[in-house]
Amino acid sequence: MEAGNHTEVSEFLLLGLSEDPELQPLIFGVFLSMYLVTVLGNLLIILTIISDSHLHTPMYFFLSNLSFVDICFISTTVPKMLVNIQAQRKDISYIGCLTQVYFFMIFVLLDNFLLTVMAYDRFVAICHPLHYMVIMNPRLCGLLVLMCWFIIFWVSLLHILLLRQLTFCIGTEIPHFFCELPQVIKLACSDTLINNIAMYVATALLGVFPLTGIFFSYSQIVSSIMRISSARGKYKAFSTCGSHLSSVSLLYGTSLGVYLSSAVTNSSHRSSTSSVMYTVVTPMLNPIIYSLRNRDVKGALGSLLSRAAPCL
């Protein structure tokens, strides 16, 4: 290609989920509704945990962090898509695209890491109940969350610095509703070998290892539950893990389904449609899962709403 086509681009074009003009109002309405439900649902979880002293425990500390990350996660992608639909535009600036890639990586990896930390918390609670409050002390809980942020901050920054070294053709179209790292790398006009190596290594280290940690924690949890003699005791022990298992299954099931389907079909449009499951649906369902399956959260949420009702 000519050198002029490799000058620094000022913007990319996000093709979105559909180019059919008649579908745009429907897509706008659906995604706006899902976004509002996600933000309000997760905010309610955070406020409920803050307002009830009985929920000031390690498990709910991690849950409030997960709710905060889910709000940031969906806010990284959906608002820009809604603005583009409303303005009938498809552009996103070069800096805006890189910023979206950066924060999307941070929050999707934080979701992953926090679910791993929550699995460890359940492992300690069920397998070492007498030492739970000693092991899962406030200092350790804070350090675990800070460690997650620290690792992911630098890993995401490394990917952005490598992405900055690539050149892109003018008028580059991204067949997605947001800037996702693999999609952006595919569209580069320069050599992407280092970027791909870094991406695959990061996926292996930050995806496989946490999932392995979750599997190990639950293998120990199941083994410990099986040693409980009473059926009621087994049910009570397992019920404390139900919400977390649902969230893990939802995140990994949808994201794995997206990448497997994209690998098989090789269709960018189908991949972008499938991505809605883990980028939008998962953050929306997490507060529903934790409120419906958790008696403590339901009780505290009811108390919070009853106190707020007279003020409305």
Side-chain angles (χ1 to χ4, degrees):
M1 286 191 180
E2 295 177 5
N5 287 338
H6 292 272
T7 56
E8 283 196 18
V9 294
S10 60
E11 64 179 28
F12 296 104
L13 296 177
L14 292 171
L15 299 185
L17 295 172
S18 173
E19 296 189 51
D20 187 350
E22 295 181 1
L23 285 178
Q24 299 310 305
L26 176 62
I27 293 173
F28 181 87
V30 169
F31 276 81
L32 178 60
S33 302
M34 294 171 78
Y35 179 70
L36 292 176
V37 168
T38 303
V39 172
L40 291 174
N42 282 290
L43 274 177
L44 270 177
I45 292 288
I46 295 171
L47 290 173
T48 301
I49 292 171
I50 292 173
S51 65
D52 194 320
S53 59
H54 295 98
L55 300 183
H56 294 176
T57 63
M59 180 172 74
Y60 296 110
F61 169 72
F62 295 130
L63 176 57
S64 61
N65 276 273
L66 181 67
S67 293
F68 171 74
V69 168
D70 279 341
I71 292 172
C72 298
F73 186 16
I74 196 170
S75 297
T76 304
T77 57
V78 173
K80 177 59 180 174
M81 183 184 71
L82 295 176
V83 169
N84 277 9
I85 292 175
Q86 188 65 20
Q88 297 183 358
R89 299 176 62 178
K90 297 180 180 180
D91 62 291
I92 182 171
S93 68
Y94 173 74
I95 295 300
C97 187
L98 263 58
T99 302
Q100 197 174 63
V101 169
Y102 177 67
F103 284 107
F104 179 81
M105 281 192 296
I106 284 180
F107 295 123
V108 73
L109 290 174
L110 272 173
D111 242 26
N112 188 8
F113 270 45
L114 284 172
L115 288 174
T116 307
V117 170
M118 291 169 78
Y120 174 70
D121 172 73
R122 293 298 83 207
F123 159 72
V124 176
I126 293 173
C127 299
H128 305 284
L130 299 178
H131 303 287
Y132 176 68
M133 294 310 296
V134 176
I135 297 173
M136 299 303 295
N137 58 75
R139 180 190 169 113
L140 177 64
C141 294
L143 282 174
L144 286 172
V145 172
L146 285 175
M147 184 178 68
C148 292
W149 278 94
F150 181 79
I151 293 171
I152 291 165
F153 171 83
W154 287 108
V155 170
S156 301
L157 184 61
L158 172 64
H159 281 297
I160 292 301
L161 292 176
L162 289 174
L163 206 58
R164 285 279 292 170
Q165 305 306 310
L166 300 179
T167 54
F168 298 90
C169 302
I170 294 173
T172 298
E173 295 180 341
I174 300 174
H176 218 307
F177 65 95
F178 68 96
C179 292
E180 192 177 29
L181 181 64
Q183 293 283 350
V184 176
I185 290 176
K186 281 181 186 177
L187 299 172
C189 299
S190 54
D191 182 45
T192 60
L193 177 62
I194 296 176
N195 299 77
N196 284 318
I197 291 173
M199 184 172 63
Y200 292 135
V201 170
T203 301
L205 294 178
L206 305 181
V208 176
F209 283 178
L211 186 57
T212 303
I214 292 173
F215 279 136
F216 174 78
S217 294
Y218 274 100
S219 68
Q220 298 301 305
I221 288 170
V222 171
S223 176
S224 182
I225 290 175
M226 289 298 103
R227 291 196 293 268
I228 298 175
S229 55
S230 68
R232 185 178 179 181
K234 288 179 180 178
Y235 174 78
K236 186 178 179 181
F238 188 75
S239 65
T240 64
C241 304
S243 300
H244 180 258
L245 273 174
S246 300
S247 290
V248 170
S249 303
L250 191 61
L251 177 66
Y252 280 98
T254 53
S255 57
L256 189 61
V258 168
Y259 287 107
L260 285 178
S261 65
S262 64
V264 172
T265 62
N266 210 16
S267 168
S268 298
H269 176 70
R270 184 169 295 181
S271 174
S272 65
T273 305
S274 303
S275 295
V276 173
M277 289 302 297
Y278 80 95
T279 58
V280 181
V281 176
T282 299
M284 181 183 69
L285 291 182
N286 272 342
I288 298 172
I289 290 170
Y290 280 99
S291 60
L292 291 180
R293 296 183 60 92
N294 191 301
R295 188 181 303 169
D296 294 333
V297 173
K298 278 195 291 187
L301 183 58
S303 300
L304 176 66
L305 294 176
S306 63
R307 290 198 303 270
C311 301
L312 296 177

